[in-house]
Amino acid sequence: MKITKIETFRVRVPLHPVSWHSADIDGLGGAWWDFPIVLLRMTTDSGLSGLGEAPKGLPEGAIRRFAPLFCGRNPFEMNWQQLPIGDHWSPEIGAYEAYEMALYDLVGKALELPVYQLLGGAHRDRVRGALCSGQMWPEDAAKRARLAAELGISVLKMKAEVGDPVVERIAAINQAVGTAVKVTIDAMQHLRHPIHVIDLARGLEPYHDNIECLEDPVSRSNLDWYVLLREKLDIPLAIHLRNLEEAINVVKREACDYLNVGGNMNEFKRGTAIAEAAGLPVWLGSGAGLGISEACYVHACAATKATTLSSDIVGERLRVDDLIVRPLEFEDGCFKVPQEPGLGVELDEDALERFGVRES
């Protein structure tokens, strides 16, 4: 079996109204939802094909330039843990993720095995999902929490910076759903200084049962601040890891209680192995993508023992379409791990036509 063709498709899929920021809030991160996403299809001479998805905003040319490294090659003669696309944490990481997904999907179909089996087997048949939002006024935050509760989701992740009405949001959520939904407050390092974090924690004291954790409150480059905050706060701290070296340093310093781990599937497995050895629970962070990447995340979460927290597999709750024929099965706040060969998803050609855009 040899790879004979690699196709890429560029799409732009809008968000549901008021699913991220409140309507009159510009918010952190810019208009990321308007960034195009590149999908990849890898086809072999046997007629099998595998699907991949790059992180949002990566140019289509940045994906296509690696196609010659795969065309003409037998997937079974490749090292699936080290693809020929530079270093895992290099600027090519986005292209790496797309090709890795497609290759695992293809190989899984050839072997008639789901991807989680290729990653070593499943620790669970369901993966807990969170609901994510940006910065919201309290009334919108309460509506989002009600939606989470209706879906059986127990964790709502929300962005925050200095000056946001964070305490008022949590109070509104508590009034709307009690403690059925806990909030991960993701400050994206924007709370500036430990004193701002401590002040926020004081305001949240009446609502501790509504707080899942405080993620990246201050700069990750200063782990001394995280060690200090762990001593001062009753709220669990989480750090969003960017690489394996950072994971080692965080564990050595005992700088947090939870880890948000990302990266491609094999790097995610390595990061969670470090967390498991340290006794830290993990969730998988995502880029709020489409159905192909989210299927990949479900398989990766299933195959890693430490991934026991609610992961950011949230695209379907944010975007108006996921670009797959049949959505991932979701019940009582959990995604069912696909049992079909490969990733277990099929590209929706009609949606591809509807949301496809040409690269300018």
Side-chain angles (χ1 to χ4, degrees):
M1 182 172 71
K2 290 186 178 180
I3 299 166
T4 56
K5 184 167 65 171
I6 291 176
E7 303 166 273
T8 54
F9 313 95
R10 189 167 176 261
V11 299
R12 183 179 281 114
V13 183
L15 300 184
H16 294 292
V18 199
S19 61
W20 192 249
H21 297 313
S22 288
D24 54 349
I25 295 178
D26 291 333
L28 295 169
W32 59 262
W33 51 85
D34 203 37
F35 295 167
I37 294 174
V38 178
L39 308 180
L40 181 148
R41 181 161 58 201
M42 180 184 291
T43 305
T44 70
D45 55 5
S46 66
L48 290 176
S49 63
L51 298 173
E53 178 186 323
K56 59 184 179 292
L58 195 67
E60 191 170 2
I63 306 294
R64 293 206 57 82
R65 72 188 184 95
F66 294 106
L69 301 176
F70 293 85
C71 283
R73 298 192 63 177
N74 183 340
F76 290 97
E77 295 176 356
M78 301 180 73
N79 184 341
W80 306 335
Q81 300 181 89
Q82 185 66 60
L83 303 184
I85 307 183
D87 183 79
H88 285 190
W89 293 101
S90 69
E92 292 86 6
I93 181 71
Y96 194 104
E97 291 181 22
Y99 280 95
E100 184 194 57
M101 283 181 215
L103 190 65
Y104 270 80
D105 188 30
L106 177 60
V107 169
K109 290 172 181 173
L111 295 175
E112 298 186 350
L113 291 173
V115 163
Y116 71 78
Q117 291 284 15
L118 303 180
L119 296 173
H123 290 280
R124 57 192 65 84
D125 60 7
R126 292 172 179 246
V127 170
R128 291 173 59 192
L131 192 66
C132 292
S133 292
Q135 292 161 271
M136 289 187 162
W137 299 120
E139 56 271 26
D140 288 332
K143 291 176 184 176
R144 206 70 182 151
R146 290 190 193 97
L147 173 62
E150 290 168 6
L151 295 169
I153 294 173
S154 60
V155 174
L156 170 60
K157 179 172 175 175
M158 302 196 84
K159 306 296 182 183
E161 62 180 330
V162 172
D164 278 5
V166 176
V167 174
E168 292 83 353
R169 284 180 198 159
I170 305 302
I173 288 170
N174 179 274
Q175 186 173 5
V177 298
T179 58
V181 176
K182 295 181 180 293
V183 180
T184 291
I185 302 170
D186 181 8
M188 297 177 66
Q189 309 179 79
H190 279 81
L191 295 187
R192 302 180 191 167
H193 193 277
I195 190 61
H196 297 122
V197 184
I198 292 169
D199 285 346
L200 173 60
R202 287 177 183 147
L204 290 171
E205 283 178 1
Y207 307 107
H208 272 195
D209 289 342
N210 280 100
I211 308 300
E212 174 81 349
C213 65
L214 184 55
E215 180 184 359
D216 288 354
V218 291
S219 173
R220 291 189 299 267
S221 66
N222 192 339
L223 292 182
D224 289 338
W225 281 357
Y226 281 85
V227 173
L228 172 67
L229 288 170
R230 281 196 80 200
E231 294 174 354
K232 298 289 185 181
L233 303 181
D234 294 329
I235 298 173
L237 286 180
I239 290 178
H240 189 165
L241 296 179
R242 301 299 176 181
N243 55 57
L244 297 182
E245 181 181 1
E246 191 173 55
I248 293 169
N249 289 334
V250 166
V251 166
K252 285 171 65 176
R253 295 297 307 279
E254 298 184 357
C256 67
D257 303 281
Y258 305 152
L259 289 174
N260 175 354
V261 183
N264 61 67
M265 284 186 285
N266 280 295
E267 287 300 296
F268 176 70
K269 283 201 68 179
R270 293 185 180 99
T272 55
I274 294 170
E276 182 184 343
L280 292 176
V282 164
W283 82 83
L284 187 149
S286 80
L290 303 172
I292 297 169
S293 64
E294 302 220 312
C296 170
Y297 299 153
V298 171
H299 284 279
C301 290
T304 47
K305 189 174 182 179
T307 312
T308 56
L309 301 174
S310 298
S311 290
D312 302 344
I313 306 170
V314 299
E316 187 179 337
R317 309 299 169 194
L318 291 174
R319 299 185 186 270
V320 299
D321 203 291
D322 56 13
L323 272 289
I324 55 177
V325 172
R326 183 167 55 89
L328 297 170
E329 291 189 62
F330 187 83
E331 184 178 72
D332 296 331
C334 294
F335 291 92
K336 295 182 181 179
V337 181
Q339 299 301 309
E340 299 84 359
L343 293 173
V345 296
E346 179 184 352
L347 184 61
D348 186 336
E349 300 286 349
D350 291 337
L352 184 62
E353 179 69 23
R354 188 161 62 253
F355 296 105
V357 292
R358 294 185 180 275
E359 188 162 29
S360 56

mmCIF file of all heavy atoms in Angstrom, residues 99-140:
data_model
loop_
_atom_site.group_PDB
_atom_site.id
_atom_site.type_symbol
_atom_site.label_atom_id
_atom_site.label_comp_id
_atom_site.label_asym_id
_atom_site.label_seq_id
_atom_site.Cartn_x
_atom_site.Cartn_y
_atom_site.Cartn_z
ATOM 1 N N TYR A 99 -0.998 15.839 9.466
ATOM 2 C CA TYR A 99 -0.509 14.614 8.832
ATOM 3 C C TYR A 99 -0.574 13.426 9.792
ATOM 4 O O TYR A 99 -0.864 12.297 9.372
ATOM 5 C CB TYR A 99 0.919 14.816 8.314
ATOM 6 C CG TYR A 99 0.971 15.555 6.998
ATOM 7 C CD1 TYR A 99 1.163 16.933 6.952
ATOM 8 C CD2 TYR A 99 0.806 14.879 5.793
ATOM 9 C CE1 TYR A 99 1.189 17.619 5.745
ATOM 10 C CE2 TYR A 99 0.835 15.548 4.577
ATOM 11 C CZ TYR A 99 1.025 16.930 4.559
ATOM 12 O OH TYR A 99 1.047 17.593 3.350
ATOM 13 N N GLU A 100 -0.312 13.648 11.062
ATOM 14 C CA GLU A 100 -0.393 12.554 12.028
ATOM 15 C C GLU A 100 -1.812 12.018 12.105
ATOM 16 O O GLU A 100 -2.034 10.803 12.091
ATOM 17 C CB GLU A 100 0.071 13.029 13.403
ATOM 18 C CG GLU A 100 0.106 11.898 14.439
ATOM 19 C CD GLU A 100 0.240 12.426 15.855
ATOM 20 O OE1 GLU A 100 -0.619 13.236 16.276
ATOM 21 O OE2 GLU A 100 1.183 12.009 16.543
ATOM 22 N N MET A 101 -2.811 12.909 12.194
ATOM 23 C CA MET A 101 -4.212 12.465 12.224
ATOM 24 C C MET A 101 -4.545 11.633 11.001
ATOM 25 O O MET A 101 -5.149 10.548 11.107
ATOM 26 C CB MET A 101 -5.148 13.679 12.249
ATOM 27 C CG MET A 101 -5.276 14.384 13.551
ATOM 28 S SD MET A 101 -6.456 15.771 13.366
ATOM 29 C CE MET A 101 -5.692 16.961 14.473
ATOM 30 N N ALA A 102 -4.183 12.153 9.834
ATOM 31 C CA ALA A 102 -4.524 11.463 8.591
ATOM 32 C C ALA A 102 -3.850 10.102 8.516
ATOM 33 O O ALA A 102 -4.461 9.118 8.071
ATOM 34 C CB ALA A 102 -4.126 12.321 7.392
ATOM 35 N N LEU A 103 -2.594 10.029 8.943
ATOM 36 C CA LEU A 103 -1.866 8.762 8.879
ATOM 37 C C LEU A 103 -2.467 7.736 9.830
ATOM 38 O O LEU A 103 -2.677 6.578 9.461
ATOM 39 C CB LEU A 103 -0.392 8.999 9.212
ATOM 40 C CG LEU A 103 0.541 7.816 8.961
ATOM 41 C CD1 LEU A 103 0.600 7.488 7.471
ATOM 42 C CD2 LEU A 103 1.937 8.115 9.490
ATOM 43 N N TYR A 104 -2.779 8.142 11.042
ATOM 44 C CA TYR A 104 -3.382 7.211 12.003
ATOM 45 C C TYR A 104 -4.773 6.778 11.543
ATOM 46 O O TYR A 104 -5.160 5.609 11.707
ATOM 47 C CB TYR A 104 -3.451 7.839 13.391
ATOM 48 C CG TYR A 104 -2.224 7.582 14.232
ATOM 49 C CD1 TYR A 104 -1.064 8.330 14.065
ATOM 50 C CD2 TYR A 104 -2.202 6.575 15.196
ATOM 51 C CE1 TYR A 104 0.072 8.103 14.829
ATOM 52 C CE2 TYR A 104 -1.078 6.325 15.968
ATOM 53 C CZ TYR A 104 0.058 7.096 15.772
ATOM 54 O OH TYR A 104 1.180 6.852 16.523
ATOM 55 N N ASP A 105 -5.538 7.714 10.973
ATOM 56 C CA ASP A 105 -6.856 7.363 10.446
ATOM 57 C C ASP A 105 -6.718 6.331 9.332
ATOM 58 O O ASP A 105 -7.449 5.328 9.286
ATOM 59 C CB ASP A 105 -7.545 8.618 9.930
ATOM 60 C CG ASP A 105 -9.004 8.388 9.531
ATOM 61 O OD1 ASP A 105 -9.660 7.510 10.119
ATOM 62 O OD2 ASP A 105 -9.477 9.107 8.641
ATOM 63 N N LEU A 106 -5.756 6.550 8.448
ATOM 64 C CA LEU A 106 -5.521 5.645 7.325
ATOM 65 C C LEU A 106 -5.075 4.263 7.791
ATOM 66 O O LEU A 106 -5.621 3.232 7.373
ATOM 67 C CB LEU A 106 -4.460 6.259 6.414
ATOM 68 C CG LEU A 106 -4.007 5.455 5.202
ATOM 69 C CD1 LEU A 106 -5.169 5.166 4.274
ATOM 70 C CD2 LEU A 106 -2.896 6.208 4.467
ATOM 71 N N VAL A 107 -4.110 4.224 8.688
ATOM 72 C CA VAL A 107 -3.589 2.948 9.184
ATOM 73 C C VAL A 107 -4.661 2.199 9.971
ATOM 74 O O VAL A 107 -4.792 0.968 9.860
ATOM 75 C CB VAL A 107 -2.329 3.181 10.041
ATOM 76 C CG1 VAL A 107 -1.935 1.912 10.777
ATOM 77 C CG2 VAL A 107 -1.176 3.668 9.170
ATOM 78 N N GLY A 108 -5.441 2.934 10.761
ATOM 79 C CA GLY A 108 -6.520 2.285 11.506
ATOM 80 C C GLY A 108 -7.521 1.618 10.588
ATOM 81 O O GLY A 108 -7.986 0.494 10.849
ATOM 82 N N LYS A 109 -7.847 2.290 9.475
ATOM 83 C CA LYS A 109 -8.768 1.692 8.512
ATOM 84 C C LYS A 109 -8.144 0.467 7.852
ATOM 85 O O LYS A 109 -8.825 -0.543 7.629
ATOM 86 C CB LYS A 109 -9.159 2.723 7.460
ATOM 87 C CG LYS A 109 -10.061 3.833 7.996
ATOM 88 C CD LYS A 109 -10.261 4.935 6.977
ATOM 89 C CE LYS A 109 -11.136 6.053 7.512
ATOM 90 N NZ LYS A 109 -11.211 7.203 6.587
ATOM 91 N N ALA A 110 -6.864 0.539 7.546
ATOM 92 C CA ALA A 110 -6.196 -0.600 6.906
ATOM 93 C C ALA A 110 -6.154 -1.811 7.828
ATOM 94 O O ALA A 110 -6.302 -2.959 7.369
ATOM 95 C CB ALA A 110 -4.782 -0.201 6.494
ATOM 96 N N LEU A 111 -5.968 -1.573 9.116
ATOM 97 C CA LEU A 111 -5.885 -2.670 10.090
ATOM 98 C C LEU A 111 -7.242 -3.004 10.703
ATOM 99 O O LEU A 111 -7.337 -3.940 11.499
ATOM 100 C CB LEU A 111 -4.910 -2.303 11.206
ATOM 101 C CG LEU A 111 -3.441 -2.132 10.806
ATOM 102 C CD1 LEU A 111 -2.617 -1.661 11.993
ATOM 103 C CD2 LEU A 111 -2.877 -3.439 10.251
ATOM 104 N N GLU A 112 -8.258 -2.207 10.350
ATOM 105 C CA GLU A 112 -9.608 -2.361 10.908
ATOM 106 C C GLU A 112 -9.586 -2.218 12.423
ATOM 107 O O GLU A 112 -10.220 -2.978 13.156
ATOM 108 C CB GLU A 112 -10.238 -3.686 10.473
ATOM 109 C CG GLU A 112 -10.413 -3.791 8.961
ATOM 110 C CD GLU A 112 -11.163 -5.039 8.531
ATOM 111 O OE1 GLU A 112 -11.377 -5.925 9.387
ATOM 112 O OE2 GLU A 112 -11.553 -5.104 7.355
ATOM 113 N N LEU A 113 -8.848 -1.180 12.887
ATOM 114 C CA LEU A 113 -8.749 -0.887 14.309
ATOM 115 C C LEU A 113 -9.019 0.600 14.544
ATOM 116 O O LEU A 113 -8.611 1.440 13.752
ATOM 117 C CB LEU A 113 -7.344 -1.204 14.835
ATOM 118 C CG LEU A 113 -6.907 -2.666 14.899
ATOM 119 C CD1 LEU A 113 -5.439 -2.747 15.273
ATOM 120 C CD2 LEU A 113 -7.761 -3.424 15.909
ATOM 121 N N PRO A 114 -9.706 0.936 15.649
ATOM 122 C CA PRO A 114 -9.845 2.355 15.991
ATOM 123 C C PRO A 114 -8.500 2.933 16.419
ATOM 124 O O PRO A 114 -7.614 2.198 16.891
ATOM 125 C CB PRO A 114 -10.850 2.344 17.147
ATOM 126 C CG PRO A 114 -10.783 0.970 17.716
ATOM 127 C CD PRO A 114 -10.414 0.049 16.594
ATOM 128 N N VAL A 115 -8.348 4.240 16.284
ATOM 129 C CA VAL A 115 -7.063 4.882 16.556
ATOM 130 C C VAL A 115 -6.598 4.659 17.992
ATOM 131 O O VAL A 115 -5.394 4.484 18.240
ATOM 132 C CB VAL A 115 -7.144 6.391 16.223
ATOM 133 C CG1 VAL A 115 -6.004 7.161 16.856
ATOM 134 C CG2 VAL A 115 -7.138 6.596 14.708
ATOM 135 N N TYR A 116 -7.514 4.633 18.955
ATOM 136 C CA TYR A 116 -7.064 4.450 20.338
ATOM 137 C C TYR A 116 -6.317 3.136 20.524
ATOM 138 O O TYR A 116 -5.422 3.029 21.377
ATOM 139 C CB TYR A 116 -8.232 4.567 21.332
ATOM 140 C CG TYR A 116 -9.219 3.425 21.315
ATOM 141 C CD1 TYR A 116 -8.949 2.203 21.932
ATOM 142 C CD2 TYR A 116 -10.455 3.563 20.689
ATOM 143 C CE1 TYR A 116 -9.857 1.164 21.918
ATOM 144 C CE2 TYR A 116 -11.380 2.537 20.670
ATOM 145 C CZ TYR A 116 -11.081 1.337 21.290
ATOM 146 O OH TYR A 116 -11.986 0.303 21.272
ATOM 147 N N GLN A 117 -6.645 2.115 19.711
ATOM 148 C CA GLN A 117 -5.908 0.858 19.786
ATOM 149 C C GLN A 117 -4.479 1.030 19.277
ATOM 150 O O GLN A 117 -3.538 0.451 19.814
ATOM 151 C CB GLN A 117 -6.624 -0.233 18.963
ATOM 152 C CG GLN A 117 -7.942 -0.700 19.540
ATOM 153 C CD GLN A 117 -7.756 -1.622 20.743
ATOM 154 O OE1 GLN A 117 -6.683 -1.720 21.330
ATOM 155 N NE2 GLN A 117 -8.822 -2.306 21.113
ATOM 156 N N LEU A 118 -4.305 1.864 18.253
ATOM 157 C CA LEU A 118 -2.962 2.126 17.743
ATOM 158 C C LEU A 118 -2.126 2.891 18.759
ATOM 159 O O LEU A 118 -0.890 2.840 18.721
ATOM 160 C CB LEU A 118 -3.038 2.925 16.441
ATOM 161 C CG LEU A 118 -3.858 2.311 15.300
ATOM 162 C CD1 LEU A 118 -3.835 3.224 14.084
ATOM 163 C CD2 LEU A 118 -3.350 0.924 14.942
ATOM 164 N N LEU A 119 -2.796 3.603 19.663
ATOM 165 C CA LEU A 119 -2.099 4.359 20.705
ATOM 166 C C LEU A 119 -1.849 3.538 21.957
ATOM 167 O O LEU A 119 -1.328 4.043 22.942
ATOM 168 C CB LEU A 119 -2.909 5.611 21.064
ATOM 169 C CG LEU A 119 -3.065 6.645 19.946
ATOM 170 C CD1 LEU A 119 -4.030 7.745 20.376
ATOM 171 C CD2 LEU A 119 -1.721 7.236 19.563
ATOM 172 N N GLY A 120 -2.229 2.259 21.921
ATOM 173 C CA GLY A 120 -1.946 1.372 23.052
ATOM 174 C C GLY A 120 -3.157 0.817 23.752
ATOM 175 O O GLY A 120 -3.039 -0.002 24.653
ATOM 176 N N GLY A 121 -4.355 1.255 23.360
ATOM 177 C CA GLY A 121 -5.570 0.744 23.994
ATOM 178 C C GLY A 121 -6.264 1.799 24.832
ATOM 179 O O GLY A 121 -5.691 2.834 25.170
ATOM 180 N N ALA A 122 -7.523 1.527 25.176
ATOM 181 C CA ALA A 122 -8.350 2.515 25.879
ATOM 182 C C ALA A 122 -8.359 2.277 27.382
ATOM 183 O O ALA A 122 -8.472 1.139 27.837
ATOM 184 C CB ALA A 122 -9.772 2.476 25.348
ATOM 185 N N HIS A 123 -8.240 3.354 28.143
ATOM 186 C CA HIS A 123 -8.443 3.322 29.592
ATOM 187 C C HIS A 123 -9.894 3.591 29.942
ATOM 188 O O HIS A 123 -10.314 3.368 31.081
ATOM 189 C CB HIS A 123 -7.555 4.366 30.276
ATOM 190 C CG HIS A 123 -6.108 4.036 30.237
ATOM 191 N ND1 HIS A 123 -5.512 3.136 31.103
ATOM 192 C CD2 HIS A 123 -5.121 4.465 29.413
ATOM 193 C CE1 HIS A 123 -4.226 3.047 30.829
ATOM 194 N NE2 HIS A 123 -3.961 3.830 29.804
ATOM 195 N N ARG A 124 -10.657 4.093 28.972
ATOM 196 C CA ARG A 124 -12.065 4.430 29.216
ATOM 197 C C ARG A 124 -12.810 4.414 27.890
ATOM 198 O O ARG A 124 -12.183 4.588 26.832
ATOM 199 C CB ARG A 124 -12.182 5.812 29.881
ATOM 200 C CG ARG A 124 -11.534 6.928 29.091
ATOM 201 C CD ARG A 124 -11.417 8.210 29.904
ATOM 202 N NE ARG A 124 -10.528 8.048 31.034
ATOM 203 C CZ ARG A 124 -9.192 8.163 30.964
ATOM 204 N NH1 ARG A 124 -8.618 8.442 29.798
ATOM 205 N NH2 ARG A 124 -8.452 7.999 32.021
ATOM 206 N N ASP A 125 -14.110 4.183 27.940
ATOM 207 C CA ASP A 125 -14.900 4.186 26.703
ATOM 208 C C ASP A 125 -15.703 5.469 26.540
ATOM 209 O O ASP A 125 -16.406 5.649 25.555
ATOM 210 C CB ASP A 125 -15.820 2.963 26.629
ATOM 211 C CG ASP A 125 -16.825 2.896 27.777
ATOM 212 O OD1 ASP A 125 -16.911 3.870 28.571
ATOM 213 O OD2 ASP A 125 -17.510 1.868 27.885
ATOM 214 N N ARG A 126 -15.584 6.379 27.509
ATOM 215 C CA ARG A 126 -16.222 7.685 27.421
ATOM 216 C C ARG A 126 -15.240 8.743 27.896
ATOM 217 O O ARG A 126 -14.471 8.508 28.835
ATOM 218 C CB ARG A 126 -17.502 7.754 28.285
ATOM 219 C CG ARG A 126 -18.618 6.864 27.758
ATOM 220 C CD ARG A 126 -19.786 6.800 28.745
ATOM 221 N NE ARG A 126 -20.843 5.968 28.205
ATOM 222 C CZ ARG A 126 -22.044 6.423 27.864
ATOM 223 N NH1 ARG A 126 -22.332 7.695 28.011
ATOM 224 N NH2 ARG A 126 -22.955 5.613 27.374
ATOM 225 N N VAL A 127 -15.287 9.908 27.274
ATOM 226 C CA VAL A 127 -14.371 10.998 27.595
ATOM 227 C C VAL A 127 -15.196 12.213 28.019
ATOM 228 O O VAL A 127 -16.085 12.661 27.280
ATOM 229 C CB VAL A 127 -13.478 11.347 26.386
ATOM 230 C CG1 VAL A 127 -12.691 12.623 26.631
ATOM 231 C CG2 VAL A 127 -12.550 10.180 26.063
ATOM 232 N N ARG A 128 -14.907 12.740 29.178
ATOM 233 C CA ARG A 128 -15.648 13.888 29.697
ATOM 234 C C ARG A 128 -15.325 15.149 28.895
ATOM 235 O O ARG A 128 -14.177 15.441 28.607
ATOM 236 C CB ARG A 128 -15.298 14.118 31.170
ATOM 237 C CG ARG A 128 -15.808 13.042 32.118
ATOM 238 C CD ARG A 128 -15.276 13.250 33.514
ATOM 239 N NE ARG A 128 -15.655 14.568 34.052
ATOM 240 C CZ ARG A 128 -15.124 15.096 35.154
ATOM 241 N NH1 ARG A 128 -14.167 14.448 35.812
ATOM 242 N NH2 ARG A 128 -15.531 16.276 35.586
ATOM 243 N N GLY A 129 -16.364 15.891 28.537
ATOM 244 C CA GLY A 129 -16.184 17.128 27.795
ATOM 245 C C GLY A 129 -16.592 18.340 28.615
ATOM 246 O O GLY A 129 -17.461 18.253 29.483
ATOM 247 N N ALA A 130 -15.938 19.460 28.345
ATOM 248 C CA ALA A 130 -16.303 20.728 28.975
ATOM 249 C C ALA A 130 -17.063 21.582 27.962
ATOM 250 O O ALA A 130 -17.134 21.258 26.777
ATOM 251 C CB ALA A 130 -15.056 21.456 29.461
ATOM 252 N N LEU A 131 -17.626 22.677 28.430
ATOM 253 C CA LEU A 131 -18.172 23.709 27.555
ATOM 254 C C LEU A 131 -17.276 24.926 27.726
ATOM 255 O O LEU A 131 -16.894 25.248 28.856
ATOM 256 C CB LEU A 131 -19.609 24.044 27.950
ATOM 257 C CG LEU A 131 -20.424 24.892 26.975
ATOM 258 C CD1 LEU A 131 -20.665 24.131 25.673
ATOM 259 C CD2 LEU A 131 -21.756 25.294 27.599
ATOM 260 N N CYS A 132 -16.903 25.556 26.643
ATOM 261 C CA CYS A 132 -15.980 26.689 26.717
ATOM 262 C C CYS A 132 -16.619 27.957 26.169
ATOM 263 O O CYS A 132 -17.369 27.908 25.191
ATOM 264 C CB CYS A 132 -14.702 26.398 25.928
ATOM 265 S SG CYS A 132 -13.680 25.097 26.654
ATOM 266 N N SER A 133 -16.282 29.068 26.791
ATOM 267 C CA SER A 133 -16.725 30.371 26.327
ATOM 268 C C SER A 133 -15.632 31.388 26.602
ATOM 269 O O SER A 133 -14.714 31.144 27.377
ATOM 270 C CB SER A 133 -18.017 30.793 27.032
ATOM 271 O OG SER A 133 -19.094 29.962 26.642
ATOM 272 N N GLY A 134 -15.783 32.564 25.965
ATOM 273 C CA GLY A 134 -14.819 33.628 26.167
ATOM 274 C C GLY A 134 -15.187 34.475 27.370
ATOM 275 O O GLY A 134 -15.444 33.962 28.455
ATOM 276 N N GLN A 135 -15.240 35.782 27.171
ATOM 277 C CA GLN A 135 -15.592 36.709 28.242
ATOM 278 C C GLN A 135 -17.051 37.125 28.081
ATOM 279 O O GLN A 135 -17.464 37.576 27.013
ATOM 280 C CB GLN A 135 -14.661 37.924 28.192
ATOM 281 C CG GLN A 135 -13.226 37.573 28.564
ATOM 282 C CD GLN A 135 -12.252 38.621 28.084
ATOM 283 O OE1 GLN A 135 -11.756 38.543 26.965
ATOM 284 N NE2 GLN A 135 -11.967 39.613 28.925
ATOM 285 N N MET A 136 -17.808 36.965 29.162
ATOM 286 C CA MET A 136 -19.250 37.209 29.101
ATOM 287 C C MET A 136 -19.712 38.056 30.267
ATOM 288 O O MET A 136 -19.139 38.009 31.362
ATOM 289 C CB MET A 136 -20.015 35.883 29.120
ATOM 290 C CG MET A 136 -19.899 35.066 27.849
ATOM 291 S SD MET A 136 -20.981 33.619 27.878
ATOM 292 C CE MET A 136 -21.038 33.217 26.130
ATOM 293 N N TRP A 137 -20.794 38.809 30.011
ATOM 294 C CA TRP A 137 -21.490 39.464 31.100
ATOM 295 C C TRP A 137 -22.218 38.397 31.925
ATOM 296 O O TRP A 137 -22.511 37.300 31.426
ATOM 297 C CB TRP A 137 -22.478 40.488 30.569
ATOM 298 C CG TRP A 137 -21.842 41.590 29.774
ATOM 299 C CD1 TRP A 137 -22.081 41.914 28.478
ATOM 300 C CD2 TRP A 137 -20.839 42.507 30.229
ATOM 301 N NE1 TRP A 137 -21.293 42.967 28.077
ATOM 302 C CE2 TRP A 137 -20.523 43.366 29.134
ATOM 303 C CE3 TRP A 137 -20.165 42.697 31.445
ATOM 304 C CZ2 TRP A 137 -19.582 44.382 29.234
ATOM 305 C CZ3 TRP A 137 -19.231 43.718 31.543
ATOM 306 C CH2 TRP A 137 -18.943 44.549 30.452
ATOM 307 N N PRO A 138 -22.476 38.662 33.193
ATOM 308 C CA PRO A 138 -23.054 37.634 34.068
ATOM 309 C C PRO A 138 -24.305 36.964 33.516
ATOM 310 O O PRO A 138 -24.461 35.738 33.641
ATOM 311 C CB PRO A 138 -23.349 38.417 35.359
ATOM 312 C CG PRO A 138 -22.287 39.482 35.380
ATOM 313 C CD PRO A 138 -22.119 39.892 33.941
ATOM 314 N N GLU A 139 -25.217 37.740 32.879
ATOM 315 C CA GLU A 139 -26.454 37.116 32.391
ATOM 316 C C GLU A 139 -26.186 36.108 31.279
ATOM 317 O O GLU A 139 -26.837 35.049 31.195
ATOM 318 C CB GLU A 139 -27.454 38.177 31.919
ATOM 319 C CG GLU A 139 -26.936 39.124 30.842
ATOM 320 C CD GLU A 139 -26.260 40.367 31.381
ATOM 321 O OE1 GLU A 139 -25.743 40.322 32.526
ATOM 322 O OE2 GLU A 139 -26.256 41.388 30.651
ATOM 323 N N ASP A 140 -25.187 36.398 30.409
ATOM 324 C CA ASP A 140 -24.833 35.446 29.354
ATOM 325 C C ASP A 140 -24.108 34.237 29.931
ATOM 326 O O ASP A 140 -24.281 33.107 29.458
ATOM 327 C CB ASP A 140 -23.970 36.133 28.292
ATOM 328 C CG ASP A 140 -24.756 37.102 27.429
ATOM 329 O OD1 ASP A 140 -25.971 36.894 27.260
ATOM 330 O OD2 ASP A 140 -24.159 38.075 26.920
#
